[in-house]
Amino acid sequence: MAERSRLAILISGRGSNMAALIYASRADDCCFEVALVSGDRPAAPGLALAEAEGIDVLKLDAKTLGPSFWTELSEALEKAEIDFIALAGFMRIIPDEFVARWEGRLVNIHPSLLPKYKGLGTYDACLAAGDIVSGATVHLVSPDLDGGEILDQVEVAVLPGDNAESLADRILIAEHQLYARVLEQYLGRTRDFDWIAGRVGQLALALPETRSKTSHGSPGWKVGSPSSDKFFAIMWNNHHGEGGIAVLVKCSGQDEMAQLIEAEPETYFRPAYYGPSDWIGIRLDRPKVDWDHVASWLRRSWLAMAPARLTKLLRAADEF
Ligand code: GRF
């Protein structure tokens, strides 16, 4: 089974969204596991619930800790090897450095159809405006409050006679479904062949004189003039149950391949289908892919396969 993303959830209160994520993560094929629950208030009722569900809980008191709250939290997230953070009713302004450190890996759920009604008081604002539809939004967290990229939303009808409490209760039901679904989709990209191939393609096509070409039905990338071009990268999709989703690139030979596979068997493999060639597989359907590392492998493979007139140019540019 593919590795699951390790999710941390930060809460301040009752933690019903947290509970929804914990229960969603119990599905056999869920792409995330809740590896840590923490927050800023040790008395938050959600923490007791998470403990009862057997989740690792870190109780921090932001009031007594002051600025070291963020240091302690960051250390715990690192120690627990967290890949992604979901805020669920976490009522604290997050410092910009923390947001920057977790860019693209920190999401929040907000009870309105953003960009409408940021901050607190969303239900009253919606009712006062006479809206007939409200809802909830899951968004990436950016330095600007409730302003990050919207990942998805769900609409909830406002009923005649609704007050803030009745509207909040109904939106909460929608939140519980939305949050788990968005995380499944967003984190699930790390197991999705088309998404991974798209990302490899962007890196491969950024190299000079490259084009896409399928190889045995799999996306691949070639370098050189159309009459004499050569593959320098080919996608691999769990061929005969081997390697998961990977990209094949050229390494320097059998010795290097053996060393790499021995040092990092979870990353590298020998694609048996290609026989004793210098193609090495780099596994990519994992939550922690280092894309800079993939880019440098593509470049190396490009250098190995590109005609001398191109490699000279790139090497000259490097020395410059
Ligand atoms: C939810 O309405 C969420 O949208 C907002 O805070 C509330 C948290 O509720 N950010 P719970 O603690 O998840 O029950």
Side-chain angles (χ1 to χ4, degrees):
M1 200 174 43
E3 236 177 291
R4 293 179 180 223
S5 296
R6 291 175 64 76
L7 181 72
I9 307 176
L10 302 184
I11 63 168
S12 296
R14 99 197 121 172
S16 70
N17 277 290
M18 171 211 74
L21 293 178
I22 292 173
Y23 301 135
S25 75
R26 300 245 160 106
D28 285 345
D29 59 349
C30 184
C31 67
F32 61 87
E33 63 183 300
V34 182
L36 182 71
V37 171
S38 189
D40 56 345
R41 285 181 52 231
L47 297 180
L49 193 153
E51 262 173 347
E53 293 294 353
I55 311 279
D56 281 348
V57 168
L58 173 70
K59 293 184 178 167
L60 295 175
D61 188 346
K63 265 201 188 137
T64 52
L65 284 169
S68 62
F69 166 74
W70 292 102
T71 323
E72 292 213 11
L73 179 62
S74 297
E75 281 170 12
L77 294 167
E78 200 161 312
K79 199 161 153 231
E81 297 184 21
I82 296 303
D83 298 311
F84 204 86
I85 304 173
L87 306 178
F90 183 65
M91 305 298 285
R92 191 155 285 272
I93 301 286
I94 302 180
D96 287 355
E97 299 129 58
F98 189 93
V99 174
R101 161 92 180 75
W102 288 92
E103 194 195 348
R105 300 185 300 144
L106 176 60
V107 286
N108 181 40
I109 187 155
H110 184 77
S112 80
L113 294 174
L114 288 172
K116 271 188 160 183
Y117 315 133
K118 297 179 176 178
L120 297 172
T122 56
Y123 315 109
D124 286 322
C126 161
L127 293 169
D131 293 352
I132 53 167
V133 174
S134 184
T137 303
V138 174
H139 63 95
L140 289 173
V141 175
S142 72
D144 121 49
L145 181 72
D146 298 328
E149 182 190 331
I150 291 174
L151 298 182
D152 206 357
Q153 301 185 302
V154 62
E155 291 188 352
V156 172
V158 179
L159 300 184
D162 255 342
N163 56 31
E165 202 184 332
S166 62
L167 182 59
D169 286 349
R170 244 178 11 267
I171 290 179
L172 194 63
I173 298 171
E175 285 183 41
H176 294 164
Q177 315 228 352
L178 176 73
Y179 217 174
R181 177 162 58 78
V182 172
L183 285 183
E184 184 67 52
Q185 279 166 1
Y186 194 71
L187 297 176
R189 300 177 316 168
T190 62
R191 300 171 168 193
D192 180 71
F193 181 82
D194 291 339
W195 184 80
I196 295 170
R199 225 165 150 183
V200 174
Q202 273 177 1
L203 297 172
L205 293 173
L207 291 160
E209 218 172 293
T210 48
R211 68 192 59 83
S212 314
K213 189 89 207 277
T214 51
S215 165
H216 300 272
S218 201
W221 295 273
K222 290 183 117 181
V223 53
S225 59
S227 56
S228 61
D229 56 4
K230 290 190 176 142
F231 279 105
F232 69 100
I234 302 169
M235 289 301 296
W236 176 269
N237 195 2
N238 209 17
H239 205 60
H240 299 299
E242 182 196 19
I245 300 171
V247 62
L248 308 186
V249 289
K250 284 278 180 178
C251 68
S252 64
Q254 296 299 309
D255 288 349
E256 186 187 22
M257 188 173 322
Q259 278 165 17
L260 288 168
I261 294 170
E262 197 190 328
E264 288 180 60
E266 62 298 331
T267 304
Y268 296 104
F269 68 98
R270 182 191 307 274
Y273 175 74
Y274 280 79
S277 68
D278 299 337
W279 289 109
I280 186 168
I282 307 176
R283 192 156 179 176
L284 300 177
D285 55 344
R286 308 168 61 211
K288 281 193 186 70
V289 172
D290 177 348
W291 287 97
D292 291 338
H293 181 240
V294 176
S296 65
W297 262 112
L298 289 169
R299 193 170 187 283
R300 228 188 107 172
S301 193
W302 181 96
L303 280 167
M305 305 310 280
R309 70 180 163 82
L310 289 177
T311 57
K312 265 190 224 146
L313 285 177
L314 201 71
R315 290 204 167 103
D318 280 353
E319 280 162 23
F320 209 57

